[in-house]
Amino acid sequence: MLSSSVMLRRFYCVGTAASSPATSSHKKRLVYLGSPQVSASVLDTLFTASSAPDSLFEITAIVTQPPSARDRGRKVMPSPVAQHALDRGFSSDLIFSPTKAGEESFLSSFKALEPELCITAAYGNILPTKFLNIPSMGTVNIHPSLLPLYRGAAPVQRALQDGVRETGVSLAYTVRQLDAGPVIACEKMEIDDKIKAPELLEFLFSQGSKLLISELPSILDGSAKTKAIPQDESKATLAPKITQEESYLSFDQIAKVLHNKVRAFSGWPGTRAKVLVIDPKNDQQNTIDLKIITTRVHDNNEIRNGEKDDIVFVKGSLIFPCGDGTALEVLEVQLPGKKVVNAAAFWNGLRGQKLKKL
């Protein structure tokens, strides 16, 4: 369930044009492209809408990432979108999983379906011009940012990393340039400094699916193309893919920057800290790789006695000294191969050993 970390304020990027009533009983052929779990929730919304008696469309096919090794057993499994489609009784013959969307064999099969509209939500592959030219009504993407802000692979994570207090979701036509197509509609929301990326991502795609359903009539009758607004290129920012190498925290940065990074990288790849464990009985030292799960910015200037690199335990939190005299409260941590524990449990497990940040 969504926490109080989000306050929703709906608005449209343009005035919503009244869509004309359907003049034919013909249902438009829609192809859906998505891969992760958040995409499966969008697909579920589309399945429900397509089954309504007055539905204007039918889901003709689904395109998703190829099966991959997931979970601890590393068993090769279909993508969450493919699995959800199968669970809903969708024909496996109409689920395509090309390695690249530009493969000739895939494009041939895709064109034979005569798709009229494509909807994408976190599909994960670049769509070439040869693909985009096939659906007669174009391709519409659900993008979890307020375009033209945060174009790219990690819009939610990069927005949280920047500490934004307002974000949202956009419906935009797909063009060859990354996330640069005209915007049909947007929805804004205010967020606090506690929400993490997985929770926000799930919420944005949930709201995006509702926005899509409300806009589908205008998309299907063509009026959305006339009301969609071109993006202002002068305001565009990028949200590049996150790498594993970015996961380590650098405590010479201020606490607020580190707290935002912990929220942004929650889930994958997570955030980590190199910590020195010292046994005062024999001065034995051991370096551990500590995954930082939940944090907040420490607001008390009188944080500790001792050396500047000492990590101390105060009122249920591990206090890490950071840049410019700030400090980060770490509330939950995880050792390699272990479960997530709160700071108190971790501290008690040290049995008198001391901690220093590296």
Side-chain angles (χ1 to χ4, degrees), residues 111-357:
K111 189 172 184 179
L113 295 170
E114 298 182 343
E116 292 170 274
L117 176 68
C118 288
I119 300 294
T120 63
Y123 169 47
N125 265 342
I126 294 174
L127 300 177
T129 302
K130 289 188 291 185
F131 177 98
L132 296 175
N133 288 339
I134 293 175
S136 58
M137 293 183 161
T139 298
V140 173
N141 182 45
I142 300 176
H143 187 77
S145 81
L146 296 174
L147 290 170
L149 301 178
Y150 298 104
R151 295 174 177 176
V156 170
Q157 294 91 333
R158 296 304 183 187
L160 289 179
Q161 189 177 9
D162 287 345
V164 302
R165 300 305 291 265
E166 182 179 79
T167 186
V169 61
S170 304
L171 287 184
Y173 283 103
T174 301
V175 296
R176 191 65 184 90
Q177 185 181 350
L178 182 65
D179 298 323
V183 176
I184 301 165
C186 305
E187 194 169 273
K188 279 185 180 180
M189 55 209 66
E190 295 177 356
I191 57 175
D192 65 15
D193 66 350
K194 298 179 181 65
I195 193 167
K196 297 179 182 179
E199 182 186 11
L200 182 56
L201 192 66
E202 180 182 355
F203 182 68
L204 289 175
F205 275 104
S206 174
Q207 295 305 122
S209 64
K210 295 173 186 175
L211 190 61
L212 172 65
I213 295 303
S214 70
E215 289 296 315
L216 263 178
S218 69
I219 295 170
L220 293 171
D221 71 18
S223 62
K225 283 199 172 182
T226 62
K227 70 173 184 175
I229 295 181
Q231 295 184 39
D232 185 345
E233 290 295 323
S234 69
K235 296 180 179 178
T237 61
L238 298 179
K241 183 178 180 180
I242 291 170
T243 65
Q244 184 76 50
E245 290 72 28
E246 294 181 76
S247 65
Y248 282 96
L249 298 178
S250 177
F251 290 99
D252 57 350
Q253 295 180 306
I254 63 172
K256 184 177 180 180
V257 169
L258 298 180
H259 172 62
N260 288 337
K261 188 172 184 178
V262 171
R263 296 191 299 130
F265 288 23
S266 176
W268 191 93
T271 45
R272 292 168 171 78
K274 294 287 188 183
V275 175
L276 188 65
V277 182
I278 304 171
D279 189 337
K281 297 176 183 178
N282 53 22
D283 287 332
Q284 186 175 350
Q285 300 182 2
N286 181 38
T287 300
I288 59 174
D289 197 32
L290 192 63
K291 192 169 185 179
I292 308 298
I293 305 298
T294 304
T295 60
R296 64 185 172 213
V297 177
H298 191 68
D299 59 4
N300 185 351
N301 291 327
E302 299 176 4
I303 56 173
R304 61 195 173 277
N305 295 316
E307 298 181 16
K308 64 177 182 178
D309 291 334
D310 287 349
I311 301 166
V312 297
F313 181 75
V314 177
K315 297 180 180 179
S317 301
L318 296 169
I319 309 297
F320 281 68
C322 304
D324 292 343
T326 61
L328 185 70
E329 290 189 42
V330 175
L331 308 176
E332 292 182 309
V333 297
Q334 184 179 19
L335 287 166
K338 304 293 184 179
K339 294 181 179 179
V340 174
V341 297
N342 61 35
F346 174 76
W347 185 260
N348 290 336
L350 291 173
R351 300 182 184 280
Q353 297 179 100
K354 295 182 179 180
L355 298 178
K356 284 184 178 290
K357 66 183 179 71

Side-chain angles (χ1 to χ4, degrees), residues 72-87:
R72 289 187 176 183
R74 307 305 295 166
K75 182 180 179 181
V76 175
M77 302 172 64
S79 75
V81 160
Q83 187 60 58
H84 184 74
L86 293 170
D87 291 344

Side-chain angles (χ1 to χ4, degrees), residues 21-64:
T23 58
S24 169
S25 60
H26 164 71
K27 290 191 175 186
K28 304 296 185 183
R29 293 182 296 278
L30 184 151
V31 173
Y32 179 72
L33 296 88
S35 297
Q37 187 59 48
V38 289
S39 303
S41 66
V42 177
L43 176 60
D44 191 64
T45 300
L46 286 170
F47 271 137
T48 300
S50 69
S51 64
D54 58 348
S55 173
L56 301 174
F57 70 95
E58 61 184 5
I59 300 176
T60 303
I62 292 168
V63 184
T64 189

